Amino acid sequence: MKVLMVASECAPFVKTGGLADVAGALPGALAPLGVEVKTVLPAYPALFPLLAKGKEVASFGDLPGGTGRLVEVQAEGLTLLLLDAPQLFDRPGAPYTGADGKDWPDNHRRFGALAQAAARISFDGLDGWVPDVLHAHDWQAGLAPVYLKQDGRTPPKSVITIHNIAFQGRFGPHVMGDLQLRSDWFHPGGLEYYGDVSFLKAGLVYADHITTVSPTYAREILTPQFGMGLDGVLAGRASDLTGILNGIDLEAWNPKSDPALTATYGLKRLGAKTKNRATLAERLGLDPDHDGPLFCVISRLTLQKGLDALAGALPALVAGGGQLALLGSGEPELEQAFRDAAARFPGKVGVEIGYDEALSHLMQGGSDAILIPSRFEPCGLTQLYGLRYGTLPVVARTGGLADTVIDANHAALAAGVATGFVFDDVSVAGIEGVIARAIAAHANRDLWKQMQAAAMRQPVGWESSARDYVQMYETLCA
């Protein structure tokens, strides 16, 4: 089976979140199951060195936003089809925003071009390679199923995966002409969304199947609380919606061989985590002789992640004997709140604003627990990294967090299967309560080691989920 994936980011080349990790890891997980994947990806400046190593396989004179060409290149085990359109993608800043942090005003053209290029080669193929399925990821690829359906020819099957329904790619109705979309499809049952065009809604309406990144999130987004205004659209397509849990790259995230760690370790060498903790303490100015649990946070600093409530719970965390190491960036007021906490609790709270991949690995390797108090979380990956590294997740009961962490309740502890701590109330009081439970459990070292062992034995790779994707593709194409 041949699958054409369409994504706006892909690890390790360009990454702003979990979408990139999935786009980078899923093709390799599908390959042993007989699925050949090629991935259409914008040629951002970070990918320019790959253009010279590749081969031009298609060119376009009239994409939204102008001309472009596709360059096929093998890199990091992936087959990439880089959309080289300098007028759209050769820019400073992040994939979606300029250096000032504001969205590029022509993002509709940029990602409309990505989607249309993918749709065109889905019909025409590349040197005899014709996909059976086009798999679009998130709003940036949401128009690809639309372009397939409006072409007039018999299209391949299409799937769209929702990685985070909060991001919908919404633009004014004036973009319809720029995007070469059929004007008679601008209605509530089609492309129109409260007077605008939503790329994500378009994909949800016109794709043959919809997936999201955990079974619980698939149920949650059918409700007004989590559907972000699209619950009605999804309810109408509930029979075409599947939740397939994300996995992680077990080679990139392996405590036995991770080059970012001061000391590698496994189940039989858990004591080596203390060496990583010492390095982390030095890096973040934490007290190296502290005996209580070290919690870490590796996250975008946003209200979605519940970090405003966590900031309010920090006095209780410190008073209870805990420490906090935080890595992340986001909303300025939250960045400042954690800077202030580090100043208020020297040696107890260490903060690095920004993102550092190697430091994120060291934090997993050196911390006792990872805090993820999200108000909603489609899947989450950091809790999976925590399980893999014996860094027990402390998570809100939502989305993929609920699907992947087994709470340390009495029954789970008695059975030896508890892998972390799960709570329901994302508030200061709720977070204080679950932190107190974790601190109490950490004081019982035998119990903590039992939970670490259960966590590290839990399957967190792509094997099972890859089989679910293949089954979905095969059912779609039958």
Side-chain angles (χ1 to χ4, degrees), residues 45-105:
L47 289 113
F48 285 176
L50 294 180
L51 290 174
K53 301 177 182 178
K55 169 189 174 185
E56 182 177 319
V57 292
S59 61
F60 312 98
D62 58 346
L63 295 173
T67 60
R69 64 183 186 130
L70 284 177
V71 175
E72 183 169 338
V73 63
Q74 303 289 324
E76 301 291 340
L78 300 172
T79 301
L80 301 178
L81 298 171
L82 301 178
L83 179 58
D84 183 28
Q87 75 279 11
L88 298 176
F89 302 115
D90 183 7
R91 302 179 183 182
Y96 320 120
T97 59
D100 59 0
K102 296 180 180 179
D103 287 351
W104 292 111

Short mmCIF file of all heavy atoms in Angstrom, two decimals, residues 45-105:
data_model
loop_
_atom_site.label_atom_id
_atom_site.label_comp_id
_atom_site.label_asym_id
_atom_site.label_seq_id
_atom_site.Cartn_x
_atom_site.Cartn_y
_atom_site.Cartn_z
N PRO A 45 13.53 27.29 5.32
CA PRO A 45 14.98 27.49 5.23
C PRO A 45 15.80 26.38 5.87
O PRO A 45 16.86 26.02 5.35
CB PRO A 45 15.18 28.83 5.95
CG PRO A 45 13.91 29.57 5.69
CD PRO A 45 12.84 28.54 5.73
N ALA A 46 15.30 25.80 6.95
CA ALA A 46 16.06 24.73 7.62
C ALA A 46 16.23 23.51 6.73
O ALA A 46 17.14 22.70 6.97
CB ALA A 46 15.35 24.33 8.92
N LEU A 47 15.40 23.39 5.70
CA LEU A 47 15.49 22.23 4.81
C LEU A 47 16.21 22.53 3.50
O LEU A 47 16.35 21.64 2.66
CB LEU A 47 14.08 21.69 4.51
CG LEU A 47 13.44 21.01 5.72
CD1 LEU A 47 12.25 21.80 6.21
CD2 LEU A 47 13.04 19.59 5.41
N PHE A 48 16.68 23.77 3.33
CA PHE A 48 17.36 24.11 2.08
C PHE A 48 18.54 23.20 1.76
O PHE A 48 18.75 22.86 0.59
CB PHE A 48 17.81 25.57 2.11
CG PHE A 48 16.71 26.59 1.92
CD1 PHE A 48 16.96 27.95 2.01
CD2 PHE A 48 15.40 26.18 1.64
CE1 PHE A 48 15.95 28.88 1.84
CE2 PHE A 48 14.38 27.11 1.47
CZ PHE A 48 14.65 28.46 1.57
N PRO A 49 19.34 22.79 2.75
CA PRO A 49 20.46 21.89 2.40
C PRO A 49 20.01 20.60 1.74
O PRO A 49 20.77 20.00 0.97
CB PRO A 49 21.12 21.64 3.76
CG PRO A 49 20.78 22.83 4.58
CD PRO A 49 19.39 23.21 4.16
N LEU A 50 18.77 20.15 2.03
CA LEU A 50 18.29 18.91 1.43
C LEU A 50 17.88 19.10 -0.03
O LEU A 50 17.91 18.14 -0.81
CB LEU A 50 17.09 18.38 2.22
CG LEU A 50 17.37 17.91 3.66
CD1 LEU A 50 16.07 17.42 4.31
CD2 LEU A 50 18.40 16.79 3.67
N LEU A 51 17.49 20.32 -0.39
CA LEU A 51 17.04 20.54 -1.78
C LEU A 51 18.14 20.19 -2.78
O LEU A 51 17.87 19.59 -3.83
CB LEU A 51 16.61 22.00 -1.97
CG LEU A 51 15.31 22.42 -1.27
CD1 LEU A 51 15.10 23.92 -1.43
CD2 LEU A 51 14.12 21.66 -1.84
N ALA A 52 19.38 20.55 -2.44
CA ALA A 52 20.50 20.29 -3.36
C ALA A 52 20.78 18.81 -3.51
O ALA A 52 21.40 18.38 -4.50
CB ALA A 52 21.75 21.01 -2.87
N LYS A 53 20.36 18.01 -2.53
CA LYS A 53 20.63 16.57 -2.57
C LYS A 53 19.51 15.78 -3.25
O LYS A 53 19.65 14.57 -3.45
CB LYS A 53 20.81 16.05 -1.15
CG LYS A 53 21.95 16.71 -0.38
CD LYS A 53 22.01 16.19 1.05
CE LYS A 53 23.11 16.89 1.85
NZ LYS A 53 23.14 16.41 3.26
N GLY A 54 18.40 16.46 -3.56
CA GLY A 54 17.24 15.76 -4.07
C GLY A 54 17.07 15.87 -5.57
O GLY A 54 17.90 16.44 -6.29
N LYS A 55 15.95 15.35 -6.03
CA LYS A 55 15.62 15.33 -7.45
C LYS A 55 14.24 15.96 -7.64
O LYS A 55 13.28 15.60 -6.96
CB LYS A 55 15.60 13.87 -7.94
CG LYS A 55 15.03 13.68 -9.33
CD LYS A 55 14.85 12.20 -9.62
CE LYS A 55 14.14 11.96 -10.95
NZ LYS A 55 13.84 10.52 -11.18
N GLU A 56 14.15 16.91 -8.58
CA GLU A 56 12.85 17.50 -8.87
C GLU A 56 11.97 16.47 -9.54
O GLU A 56 12.33 15.86 -10.54
CB GLU A 56 13.02 18.72 -9.78
CG GLU A 56 11.69 19.41 -10.07
CD GLU A 56 11.84 20.67 -10.92
OE1 GLU A 56 12.80 21.45 -10.67
OE2 GLU A 56 10.99 20.88 -11.81
N VAL A 57 10.76 16.29 -8.99
CA VAL A 57 9.86 15.28 -9.51
C VAL A 57 8.54 15.86 -10.01
O VAL A 57 7.75 15.16 -10.64
CB VAL A 57 9.58 14.19 -8.44
CG1 VAL A 57 10.83 13.37 -8.17
CG2 VAL A 57 9.06 14.81 -7.15
N ALA A 58 8.29 17.14 -9.72
CA ALA A 58 7.06 17.79 -10.20
C ALA A 58 7.24 19.29 -10.12
O ALA A 58 8.01 19.80 -9.30
CB ALA A 58 5.85 17.35 -9.37
N SER A 59 6.52 20.00 -10.99
CA SER A 59 6.53 21.46 -10.93
C SER A 59 5.12 21.97 -11.18
O SER A 59 4.30 21.31 -11.84
CB SER A 59 7.49 22.05 -11.96
OG SER A 59 7.11 21.69 -13.27
N PHE A 60 4.84 23.15 -10.62
CA PHE A 60 3.49 23.71 -10.68
C PHE A 60 3.60 25.20 -11.02
O PHE A 60 4.41 25.92 -10.43
CB PHE A 60 2.78 23.55 -9.34
CG PHE A 60 2.87 22.18 -8.74
CD1 PHE A 60 3.82 21.90 -7.77
CD2 PHE A 60 2.02 21.16 -9.16
CE1 PHE A 60 3.92 20.63 -7.21
CE2 PHE A 60 2.11 19.90 -8.61
CZ PHE A 60 3.06 19.63 -7.64
N GLY A 61 2.76 25.63 -11.95
CA GLY A 61 2.80 27.04 -12.33
C GLY A 61 1.73 27.89 -11.71
O GLY A 61 1.80 29.12 -11.76
N ASP A 62 0.74 27.28 -11.07
CA ASP A 62 -0.43 28.05 -10.64
C ASP A 62 -0.98 27.59 -9.30
O ASP A 62 -2.19 27.47 -9.12
CB ASP A 62 -1.52 27.96 -11.70
CG ASP A 62 -1.95 26.52 -11.99
OD1 ASP A 62 -1.24 25.58 -11.57
OD2 ASP A 62 -3.02 26.33 -12.60
N LEU A 63 -0.11 27.32 -8.36
CA LEU A 63 -0.57 27.02 -7.01
C LEU A 63 -1.09 28.30 -6.36
O LEU A 63 -0.73 29.41 -6.78
CB LEU A 63 0.59 26.48 -6.16
CG LEU A 63 1.19 25.14 -6.56
CD1 LEU A 63 2.42 24.86 -5.70
CD2 LEU A 63 0.17 24.01 -6.40
N PRO A 64 -1.92 28.20 -5.32
CA PRO A 64 -2.21 29.40 -4.54
C PRO A 64 -0.89 30.01 -4.06
O PRO A 64 -0.05 29.33 -3.47
CB PRO A 64 -3.01 28.85 -3.35
CG PRO A 64 -3.64 27.59 -3.87
CD PRO A 64 -2.63 27.01 -4.81
N GLY A 65 -0.68 31.27 -4.38
CA GLY A 65 0.58 31.89 -3.99
C GLY A 65 1.68 31.80 -5.02
O GLY A 65 2.79 32.27 -4.78
N GLY A 66 1.40 31.21 -6.21
CA GLY A 66 2.41 31.22 -7.27
C GLY A 66 2.94 29.86 -7.65
O GLY A 66 2.26 28.84 -7.51
N THR A 67 4.17 29.85 -8.11
CA THR A 67 4.78 28.64 -8.64
C THR A 67 5.44 27.83 -7.51
O THR A 67 5.67 28.33 -6.41
CB THR A 67 5.84 28.98 -9.69
OG1 THR A 67 6.86 29.78 -9.07
CG2 THR A 67 5.24 29.75 -10.84
N GLY A 68 5.75 26.59 -7.84
CA GLY A 68 6.45 25.74 -6.89
C GLY A 68 6.90 24.46 -7.56
O GLY A 68 6.51 24.16 -8.69
N ARG A 69 7.76 23.75 -6.90
CA ARG A 69 8.21 22.46 -7.41
C ARG A 69 8.38 21.51 -6.23
O ARG A 69 8.56 21.93 -5.09
CB ARG A 69 9.53 22.59 -8.16
CG ARG A 69 10.69 23.05 -7.28
CD ARG A 69 11.98 23.24 -8.05
NE ARG A 69 13.08 23.53 -7.12
CZ ARG A 69 14.25 22.91 -7.11
NH1 ARG A 69 14.49 21.95 -7.99
NH2 ARG A 69 15.18 23.22 -6.22
N LEU A 70 8.28 20.21 -6.53
CA LEU A 70 8.51 19.20 -5.51
C LEU A 70 9.86 18.54 -5.75
O LEU A 70 10.18 18.13 -6.88
CB LEU A 70 7.42 18.13 -5.55
CG LEU A 70 6.06 18.50 -4.96
CD1 LEU A 70 5.08 17.34 -5.14
CD2 LEU A 70 6.18 18.84 -3.47
N VAL A 71 10.64 18.46 -4.70
CA VAL A 71 11.96 17.83 -4.75
C VAL A 71 11.93 16.63 -3.83
O VAL A 71 11.66 16.74 -2.62
CB VAL A 71 13.06 18.82 -4.30
CG1 VAL A 71 14.41 18.12 -4.23
CG2 VAL A 71 13.11 20.01 -5.25
N GLU A 72 12.18 15.45 -4.40
CA GLU A 72 12.19 14.22 -3.61
C GLU A 72 13.59 13.96 -3.07
O GLU A 72 14.58 14.04 -3.80
CB GLU A 72 11.72 13.03 -4.45
CG GLU A 72 11.64 11.73 -3.66
CD GLU A 72 10.93 10.62 -4.42
OE1 GLU A 72 10.14 10.93 -5.33
OE2 GLU A 72 11.16 9.44 -4.09
N VAL A 73 13.66 13.64 -1.77
CA VAL A 73 14.95 13.40 -1.14
C VAL A 73 14.78 12.40 -0.01
O VAL A 73 13.74 12.37 0.65
CB VAL A 73 15.57 14.73 -0.61
CG1 VAL A 73 14.71 15.34 0.47
CG2 VAL A 73 16.98 14.53 -0.12
N GLN A 74 15.78 11.56 0.17
CA GLN A 74 15.80 10.62 1.30
C GLN A 74 16.60 11.25 2.44
O GLN A 74 17.72 11.71 2.23
CB GLN A 74 16.47 9.30 0.88
CG GLN A 74 15.83 8.61 -0.32
CD GLN A 74 14.48 8.03 -0.01
OE1 GLN A 74 14.24 7.53 1.09
NE2 GLN A 74 13.57 8.09 -0.97
N ALA A 75 16.02 11.28 3.62
CA ALA A 75 16.71 11.87 4.77
C ALA A 75 16.15 11.28 6.05
O ALA A 75 14.92 11.19 6.21
CB ALA A 75 16.55 13.39 4.76
N GLU A 76 17.03 10.90 6.96
CA GLU A 76 16.64 10.37 8.27
C GLU A 76 15.63 9.23 8.15
O GLU A 76 14.72 9.08 8.96
CB GLU A 76 16.05 11.49 9.14
CG GLU A 76 16.98 12.66 9.39
CD GLU A 76 18.15 12.29 10.30
OE1 GLU A 76 18.06 11.28 11.01
OE2 GLU A 76 19.17 13.02 10.28
N GLY A 77 15.81 8.40 7.11
CA GLY A 77 14.94 7.25 6.92
C GLY A 77 13.59 7.56 6.32
O GLY A 77 12.74 6.67 6.20
N LEU A 78 13.36 8.83 5.94
CA LEU A 78 12.08 9.25 5.37
C LEU A 78 12.24 9.60 3.89
O LEU A 78 13.32 10.04 3.46
CB LEU A 78 11.55 10.47 6.11
CG LEU A 78 11.27 10.31 7.61
CD1 LEU A 78 10.95 11.67 8.22
CD2 LEU A 78 10.14 9.33 7.85
N THR A 79 11.17 9.43 3.13
CA THR A 79 11.10 9.94 1.77
C THR A 79 10.29 11.23 1.81
O THR A 79 9.08 11.21 2.04
CB THR A 79 10.45 8.93 0.82
OG1 THR A 79 11.20 7.72 0.83
CG2 THR A 79 10.42 9.49 -0.61
N LEU A 80 11.00 12.34 1.60
CA LEU A 80 10.35 13.65 1.67
C LEU A 80 10.11 14.20 0.27
O LEU A 80 10.96 14.03 -0.63
CB LEU A 80 11.24 14.63 2.43
CG LEU A 80 11.59 14.28 3.87
CD1 LEU A 80 12.53 15.33 4.46
CD2 LEU A 80 10.34 14.13 4.73
N LEU A 81 8.98 14.85 0.10
CA LEU A 81 8.67 15.61 -1.11
C LEU A 81 8.60 17.07 -0.67
O LEU A 81 7.59 17.51 -0.11
CB LEU A 81 7.36 15.15 -1.73
CG LEU A 81 7.32 13.68 -2.19
CD1 LEU A 81 5.90 13.28 -2.57
CD2 LEU A 81 8.28 13.45 -3.36
N LEU A 82 9.67 17.79 -0.86
CA LEU A 82 9.77 19.16 -0.36
C LEU A 82 9.14 20.13 -1.35
O LEU A 82 9.54 20.16 -2.53
CB LEU A 82 11.24 19.52 -0.12
CG LEU A 82 12.00 18.65 0.87
CD1 LEU A 82 13.46 19.10 0.97
CD2 LEU A 82 11.34 18.68 2.23
N LEU A 83 8.17 20.89 -0.89
CA LEU A 83 7.54 21.91 -1.74
C LEU A 83 8.42 23.16 -1.71
O LEU A 83 8.41 23.92 -0.74
CB LEU A 83 6.13 22.22 -1.26
CG LEU A 83 5.40 23.30 -2.08
CD1 LEU A 83 5.31 22.92 -3.56
CD2 LEU A 83 4.01 23.57 -1.50
N ASP A 84 9.17 23.33 -2.77
CA ASP A 84 10.08 24.47 -2.90
C ASP A 84 9.33 25.63 -3.55
O ASP A 84 9.12 25.65 -4.77
CB ASP A 84 11.30 24.06 -3.73
CG ASP A 84 12.33 25.17 -3.83
OD1 ASP A 84 12.40 25.99 -2.90
OD2 ASP A 84 13.07 25.21 -4.84
N ALA A 85 8.90 26.56 -2.72
CA ALA A 85 8.19 27.76 -3.19
C ALA A 85 8.73 28.91 -2.35
O ALA A 85 8.13 29.28 -1.33
CB ALA A 85 6.68 27.60 -3.03
N PRO A 86 9.89 29.48 -2.72
CA PRO A 86 10.56 30.46 -1.86
C PRO A 86 9.68 31.65 -1.49
O PRO A 86 9.82 32.19 -0.38
CB PRO A 86 11.76 30.89 -2.70
CG PRO A 86 12.01 29.75 -3.63
CD PRO A 86 10.66 29.18 -3.93
N GLN A 87 8.80 32.06 -2.40
CA GLN A 87 7.95 33.22 -2.10
C GLN A 87 7.00 32.93 -0.94
O GLN A 87 6.48 33.86 -0.30
CB GLN A 87 7.17 33.63 -3.35
CG GLN A 87 5.99 32.74 -3.72
CD GLN A 87 6.39 31.47 -4.48
OE1 GLN A 87 7.57 31.14 -4.59
NE2 GLN A 87 5.40 30.78 -5.03
N LEU A 88 6.81 31.66 -0.62
CA LEU A 88 5.91 31.28 0.46
C LEU A 88 6.64 30.83 1.73
O LEU A 88 6.17 31.08 2.85
CB LEU A 88 4.98 30.14 0.01
CG LEU A 88 4.04 30.45 -1.15
CD1 LEU A 88 3.27 29.20 -1.56
CD2 LEU A 88 3.09 31.57 -0.78
N PHE A 89 7.78 30.17 1.57
CA PHE A 89 8.40 29.51 2.72
C PHE A 89 9.80 29.98 3.07
O PHE A 89 10.31 29.64 4.15
CB PHE A 89 8.41 27.99 2.48
CG PHE A 89 7.05 27.41 2.26
CD1 PHE A 89 6.70 26.85 1.04
CD2 PHE A 89 6.09 27.45 3.27
CE1 PHE A 89 5.44 26.32 0.83
CE2 PHE A 89 4.82 26.93 3.06
CZ PHE A 89 4.50 26.36 1.84
N ASP A 90 10.45 30.75 2.21
CA ASP A 90 11.80 31.24 2.53
C ASP A 90 11.69 32.50 3.37
O ASP A 90 11.82 33.62 2.88
CB ASP A 90 12.57 31.50 1.23
CG ASP A 90 14.00 31.95 1.52
OD1 ASP A 90 14.42 31.92 2.70
OD2 ASP A 90 14.71 32.34 0.56
N ARG A 91 11.43 32.29 4.67
CA ARG A 91 11.19 33.43 5.57
C ARG A 91 11.81 33.13 6.93
O ARG A 91 11.92 31.98 7.34
CB ARG A 91 9.68 33.64 5.77
CG ARG A 91 8.95 33.90 4.46
CD ARG A 91 7.46 34.07 4.70
NE ARG A 91 6.75 34.24 3.43
CZ ARG A 91 5.44 34.46 3.32
NH1 ARG A 91 4.70 34.53 4.42
NH2 ARG A 91 4.88 34.60 2.14
N PRO A 92 12.18 34.19 7.65
CA PRO A 92 12.65 34.00 9.02
C PRO A 92 11.47 33.69 9.94
O PRO A 92 10.31 33.80 9.56
CB PRO A 92 13.28 35.34 9.37
CG PRO A 92 12.48 36.33 8.54
CD PRO A 92 12.16 35.60 7.25
N GLY A 93 11.79 33.30 11.16
CA GLY A 93 10.73 33.04 12.13
C GLY A 93 10.37 31.57 12.19
O GLY A 93 11.12 30.70 11.74
N ALA A 94 9.22 31.28 12.75
CA ALA A 94 8.72 29.92 12.91
C ALA A 94 7.90 29.52 11.69
O ALA A 94 7.65 30.34 10.81
CB ALA A 94 7.89 29.84 14.19
N PRO A 95 7.47 28.26 11.61
CA PRO A 95 6.72 27.83 10.42
C PRO A 95 5.47 28.63 10.13
O PRO A 95 5.11 28.82 8.96
CB PRO A 95 6.37 26.37 10.74
CG PRO A 95 7.45 25.92 11.66
CD PRO A 95 7.78 27.13 12.49
N TYR A 96 4.79 29.13 11.17
CA TYR A 96 3.52 29.80 10.96
C TYR A 96 3.54 31.28 11.29
O TYR A 96 2.60 32.00 10.96
CB TYR A 96 2.41 29.12 11.80
CG TYR A 96 2.54 27.62 11.80
CD1 TYR A 96 2.72 26.91 12.99
CD2 TYR A 96 2.50 26.90 10.61
CE1 TYR A 96 2.86 25.54 12.99
CE2 TYR A 96 2.65 25.52 10.60
CZ TYR A 96 2.83 24.84 11.80
OH TYR A 96 2.98 23.48 11.79
N THR A 97 4.60 31.71 11.95
CA THR A 97 4.67 33.09 12.42
C THR A 97 6.00 33.73 12.07
O THR A 97 7.01 33.04 11.88
CB THR A 97 4.50 33.15 13.96
OG1 THR A 97 5.54 32.38 14.57
CG2 THR A 97 3.16 32.59 14.37
N GLY A 98 6.00 35.06 11.98
CA GLY A 98 7.23 35.80 11.76
C GLY A 98 8.00 35.98 13.05
O GLY A 98 7.61 35.50 14.13
N ALA A 99 9.10 36.73 12.95
CA ALA A 99 9.94 36.96 14.12
C ALA A 99 9.20 37.74 15.21
O ALA A 99 9.59 37.68 16.38
CB ALA A 99 11.21 37.71 13.70
N ASP A 100 8.12 38.44 14.81
CA ASP A 100 7.34 39.20 15.79
C ASP A 100 6.30 38.34 16.50
O ASP A 100 5.55 38.82 17.36
CB ASP A 100 6.65 40.38 15.12
CG ASP A 100 5.70 39.96 13.99
OD1 ASP A 100 5.56 38.74 13.73
OD2 ASP A 100 5.10 40.86 13.37
N GLY A 101 6.24 37.05 16.15
CA GLY A 101 5.29 36.15 16.78
C GLY A 101 3.90 36.17 16.20
O GLY A 101 3.02 35.43 16.64
N LYS A 102 3.66 36.99 15.20
CA LYS A 102 2.34 37.10 14.58
C LYS A 102 2.24 36.18 13.37
O LYS A 102 3.22 35.97 12.64
CB LYS A 102 2.06 38.54 14.15
CG LYS A 102 2.00 39.52 15.32
CD LYS A 102 1.73 40.94 14.84
CE LYS A 102 1.67 41.92 16.01
NZ LYS A 102 1.43 43.31 15.55
N ASP A 103 1.03 35.64 13.15
CA ASP A 103 0.81 34.76 12.00
C ASP A 103 1.14 35.48 10.70
O ASP A 103 0.83 36.68 10.54
CB ASP A 103 -0.65 34.31 11.95
CG ASP A 103 -0.98 33.29 13.02
OD1 ASP A 103 -0.06 32.80 13.70
OD2 ASP A 103 -2.18 32.99 13.18
N TRP A 104 1.73 34.76 9.76
CA TRP A 104 1.93 35.32 8.44
C TRP A 104 0.56 35.60 7.82
O TRP A 104 -0.32 34.74 7.86
CB TRP A 104 2.70 34.36 7.54
CG TRP A 104 4.13 34.14 7.94
CD1 TRP A 104 4.67 33.01 8.46
CD2 TRP A 104 5.21 35.09 7.84
NE1 TRP A 104 6.01 33.17 8.70
CE2 TRP A 104 6.37 34.44 8.33
CE3 TRP A 104 5.30 36.41 7.40
CZ2 TRP A 104 7.61 35.07 8.39
CZ3 TRP A 104 6.54 37.04 7.46
CH2 TRP A 104 7.67 36.37 7.94
N PRO A 105 0.34 36.79 7.26
CA PRO A 105 -1.00 37.12 6.72
C PRO A 105 -1.40 36.28 5.53
O PRO A 105 -2.59 36.22 5.20
CB PRO A 105 -0.87 38.60 6.34
CG PRO A 105 0.60 38.86 6.20
CD PRO A 105 1.27 37.93 7.15
#
